[in-house]
């Protein structure tokens, strides 16, 4: 009995002094141990990414497959997960069958750094920050509007579009008792100079736009011949661009509120000129003249 007490005591002491990652499930293989994301966190991450039946989700380092299985079962999405552990892959594919989603969720053996992400509309990770950072250039090159959700670990200086903290009493590993949830939306690349045309009676037709872009953060100017004027509230979310500026025809300040969709080297959209009853809605478009690459 004394012997047993000593073993228990040693076990408790070990649990207290061991780094929490050593308490993880031993079945993980590769660059990070296997720790499952608590189900409540999986649900919330998928809600943050607004996952729906039109989505294709890829979980990088899929563990028991809960991200993709939940996306299929509760949100109607399709997708796959990759892992290096035969044991976890077998379990994930078996659970996909018992969940009734094996036609929309499957799991394959692959190094997550080599996975083709081109089909993804949503990418999910529960990886170490340096792994997220290594994946970052590949993620930023995905189709604008692709959502990325990550559990607990960030993407360095690419700040999230949304983050939240959940209290998760059953969580024992990583940050015990709490989870950090992050969402990023891949922004279209607009950094550089653009030549724009609008069809407005109160504005010269040609317009030069310049954007400086740091991930989803934008600053910019518009030039209609004279001095460049700063853009008001320039914003890029996925492929959706918006900004405004005022011009002064006669002595009246006239607001120009632009929205547009970025498609590679062109932008097409509408501009609302003026306010109230006299407001006009006109088409505008732009073509890139010179690109300035942002951080990757
Ligand atoms: C922290 S777990 C996350 C599991 C699951 N995504 C979740 O959120 O519940 C990380 C997983 O990544 C896998 N893994 C580690 N390095 C990998 C690599 N280079 N390629 C593929 N999978 C890897 C591990 O086997 C482990 O199952």
């Amino acid at each position: 009995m004394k012997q047993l007490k000593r073993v228990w005591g040693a076990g408790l002491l070990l649990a207290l002094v061991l780094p929490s990652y050593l308490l993880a499930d031993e079945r993980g293989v590769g660059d990070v141990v296997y720790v499952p994301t608590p189900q409540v966190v999986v649900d919330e991450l998928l809600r943050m990414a607004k996952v729906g039946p039109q989505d294709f989700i890829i979980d990088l380092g899929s563990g028991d497959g809960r991200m993709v299985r939940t996306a299929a079962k509760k949100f109607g999405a399709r997708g796959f997960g990759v892992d290096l552990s035969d044991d976890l892959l077998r379990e994930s594919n078996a659970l996909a069958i018992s969940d009734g989603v094996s036609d929309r969720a499957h799991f394959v053996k692959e190094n997550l750094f080599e996975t083709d992400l081109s089909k993804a509309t949503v990418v999910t990770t529960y990886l170490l920050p340096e792994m997220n950072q290594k994946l970052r250039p590949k993620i930023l090159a995905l189709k604008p509007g692709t959502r990325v959700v990550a559990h607990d670990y960030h993407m360095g200086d690419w700040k999230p579009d949304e983050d939240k903290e959940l209290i998760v009493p059953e969580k024992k590993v990583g940050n015990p008792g709490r989870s950090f949830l992050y969402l990023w939306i891949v922004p279209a690349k607009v950094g550089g100079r653009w030549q724009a045309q609008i069809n407005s009676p109160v504005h010269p037709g040609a317009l030069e736009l310049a954007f400086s872009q740091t991930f989803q953060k934008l600053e910019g100017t518009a030039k209609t011949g004279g001095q460049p004027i700063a853009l008001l509230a320039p914003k890029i979310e996925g492929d959706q661009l918006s900004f405004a500026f005022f011009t002064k025809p006669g002595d009246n300040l006239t607001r120009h509120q632009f929205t547009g969709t970025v498609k590679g080297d062109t932008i097409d959209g509408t501009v609302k000129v003026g306010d109230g009853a006299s407001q006009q809605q006109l088409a505008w478009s732009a073509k890139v003249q010179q690109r300035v690459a942002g951080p990757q």
Side-chain angles (χ1 to χ4, degrees):
M1 188 61 184
K2 248 188 195 163
Q3 181 75 15
L4 196 64
K5 266 192 186 154
R6 222 174 289 135
V7 171
W8 266 103
L12 185 65
L13 187 68
L14 211 59
L16 289 174
V17 297
L18 272 179
S20 57
Y21 64 82
L22 289 181
L23 298 172
D25 188 312
E26 283 164 8
R27 289 176 298 164
V29 176
D31 302 274
V32 60
V33 293
Y34 171 52
V35 180
T37 296
Q39 188 61 44
V40 58
V41 177
V42 171
D43 293 352
E44 189 56 31
L45 283 168
L46 296 174
R47 269 196 293 272
M48 280 169 81
K50 298 193 170 70
V51 170
Q54 70 293 346
D55 277 314
F56 194 95
I57 176 170
I58 300 180
D59 187 27
L60 296 175
S62 48
D64 70 0
R66 58 184 60 198
M67 261 323 160
V68 183
R69 287 188 292 107
T70 305
K73 198 172 171 183
K74 293 193 182 167
F75 299 85
R78 290 176 306 132
F80 66 85
V82 300
D83 208 290
L84 292 174
S85 160
D86 292 320
D87 199 6
L88 287 167
L89 288 165
R90 227 181 344 265
E91 181 178 334
S92 316
N93 281 313
L95 287 169
I97 293 172
S98 55
D99 284 350
V101 294
S102 58
D103 56 334
R104 283 176 293 129
H106 68 282
F107 301 91
V108 291
K109 188 169 187 176
E110 189 168 69
N111 186 331
L112 62 90
F113 292 110
E114 284 156 23
T115 300
D116 176 2
L117 301 179
S118 57
K119 274 178 88 175
T121 58
V122 177
V123 176
T124 57
T125 75
Y126 183 18
L127 303 172
L128 297 172
E130 57 270 26
M131 295 174 77
N132 284 346
Q133 192 100 357
K134 192 169 162 190
L135 287 165
R136 206 173 79 173
K138 203 168 158 184
I139 288 173
L140 281 162
L142 294 177
K143 195 169 170 291
T146 305
R147 288 92 77 209
V148 183
V149 281
H151 180 201
D152 269 352
Y153 299 113
H154 55 74
M155 292 257 190
D157 56 355
W158 182 14
K159 299 296 172 219
D161 292 86
E162 190 187 333
D163 58 358
K164 59 174 74 166
E165 189 181 333
L166 287 189
I167 300 301
V168 190
E170 69 271 26
K171 187 170 175 233
K172 305 286 179 247
V173 183
N175 307 295
R178 61 190 57 215
S179 278
F180 299 98
L181 288 70
Y182 300 102
L183 165 75
W184 295 264
I185 300 169
V186 173
K189 291 175 183 56
V190 293
R193 283 191 309 106
W194 297 73
Q195 190 63 48
Q197 286 289 333
I198 55 176
N199 181 17
S200 162
V202 292
H203 199 289
L207 181 68
E208 210 174 277
L209 299 171
F211 295 105
S212 113
Q213 180 171 17
T214 308
F215 305 110
Q216 69 275 56
K217 298 266 178 295
L218 274 193
E219 288 179 10
T221 57
K223 201 171 148 196
T224 59
Q227 289 298 309
I229 44 174
L231 300 181
L232 303 172
K235 187 173 169 205
I236 185 86
E237 188 175 302
D239 62 359
Q240 293 303 299
L241 174 71
S242 60
F243 59 89
F245 60 76
F246 285 91
T247 57
K248 205 173 176 189
D251 280 328
N252 292 328
L253 275 180
T254 304
R255 184 181 177 85
H256 288 58
Q257 177 67 55
F258 289 74
T259 53
T261 303
V262 183
K263 287 185 205 131
D265 288 347
T266 61
I267 306 172
D268 288 298
T270 54
V271 49
K272 290 179 182 165
V273 182
D275 291 298
S278 63
Q279 186 181 75
Q280 288 183 291
Q281 190 159 311
L282 304 156
W284 74 284
S285 61
K287 271 195 170 26
V288 77
Q289 301 297 299
Q290 187 189 20
R291 291 232 176 239
V292 177
Q296 290 296 299

